[in-house]
Amino acid sequence: MERSLLRREVIPFLVMFAVLIGATMVGDYVMHYFDLVWIGRYLGIPGTLIVLLSLLYSLRKRKLISVGEPKTLLAWHEWMAWVGSWLILVHAGIHFYTILPWLATGAMLINLVSGLTGKFILQSSRRHIAELKQMHQERGMSKDEIEREIFWDAVTVDMMAKWRKVHFPITMVFAVLALGHIISILLFWNWR
């Protein structure tokens, strides 16, 4: 029995995003409660390093490196991007004093939403094609008939798989803003 698109795709997406925001609020609250706000100042460093490590998947996908299994690296990419983003969000907390950190955090959230959207849309589309193929096979259609019947759906899935062409520029905007934030911190840090 096919579950509704809302329950299968939209709700898990919203839950994952809500958990991230909720975990951020809990982390910020705990640091304030135990008077450990100073730790938040440094959480951006491991968060950024974890996000950078998550890019191993992208390097492997573009064949710039040959280590690792793409499926495993994708799972790590998703997990590390989520954890790194959480650390960065706790680092940001509600303590924005200039526009650059606001922009970098906003770009990171847009990038995260873009990644989650691509993940859920692509999974849903591939499942839909598999269900169509199975349905046509059960009706006794030949392989050629099935291919003709699902051709436009398959073309659509191929086009949706190119969502990365949107995700990549968003990632680059985030990277530039984050780098600007990091450079400004290094320039204006109280080094004494």
Side-chain angles (χ1 to χ4, degrees):
M1 183 171 122
E2 185 176 328
R3 297 183 313 168
S4 76
L5 182 63
L6 179 70
R7 284 195 332 227
R8 186 173 61 189
E9 306 301 330
V10 177
I11 291 175
F13 170 83
L14 293 174
V15 166
M16 283 184 75
F17 195 71
V19 166
L20 176 65
I21 300 304
T24 299
M25 293 168 67
V26 167
D28 194 55
Y29 175 79
V30 167
M31 285 195 318
H32 279 85
Y33 184 81
F34 290 106
D35 198 26
L36 299 171
V37 177
W38 62 272
I39 292 174
R41 183 176 187 187
Y42 300 99
L43 287 180
I45 297 167
T48 300
L49 293 175
I50 291 170
V51 168
L52 288 173
L53 273 174
S54 79
L55 296 177
L56 287 174
Y57 167 72
S58 300
L59 295 174
R60 176 69 165 98
K61 184 147 182 80
R62 288 170 179 76
K63 298 179 179 160
L64 297 173
I65 62 171
S66 58
V67 295
E69 198 61 37
K71 189 173 183 176
T72 303
L73 288 174
L74 175 60
W76 277 99
H77 170 75
E78 292 169 353
W79 183 83
M80 287 190 291
W82 199 93
V83 169
S85 296
W86 175 70
L87 288 171
I88 292 169
L89 286 171
V90 173
H91 160 74
I94 56 170
H95 313 287
F96 292 104
Y97 302 108
T98 62
I99 190 73
L100 189 56
W102 276 100
L103 292 174
T105 302
M108 183 189 69
L109 286 172
I110 291 169
N111 190 41
L112 194 66
V113 168
S114 167
L116 286 172
T117 301
K119 172 186 173 173
F120 283 104
I121 287 175
L122 210 50
Q123 283 177 351
S124 175
S125 301
R126 288 180 178 150
R127 241 187 332 266
H128 175 71
I129 292 293
E131 289 169 1
L132 283 176
K133 279 184 178 180
Q134 182 180 355
M135 181 184 70
H136 291 313
Q137 285 173 344
E138 289 171 358
R139 289 183 179 168
M141 295 175 81
S142 72
K143 186 175 180 177
D144 288 338
E145 291 173 319
I146 293 172
E147 292 301 320
R148 276 194 303 274
E149 191 68 31
I150 66 168
F151 174 76
W152 289 111
D153 287 330
V155 168
T156 303
V157 169
D158 286 342
M159 292 298 290
M160 291 169 64
K162 295 181 182 1
W163 72 270
R164 288 176 189 90
K165 291 188 185 220
V166 173
H167 185 60
F168 184 74
I170 293 170
T171 302
M172 294 311 296
V173 168
F174 165 55
V176 167
L177 290 168
L179 186 61
H181 172 61
I182 292 166
I183 290 170
S184 70
I185 291 299
L186 292 174
L187 287 173
F188 298 110
W189 189 287
N190 186 2
W191 293 98
R192 297 172 202 187

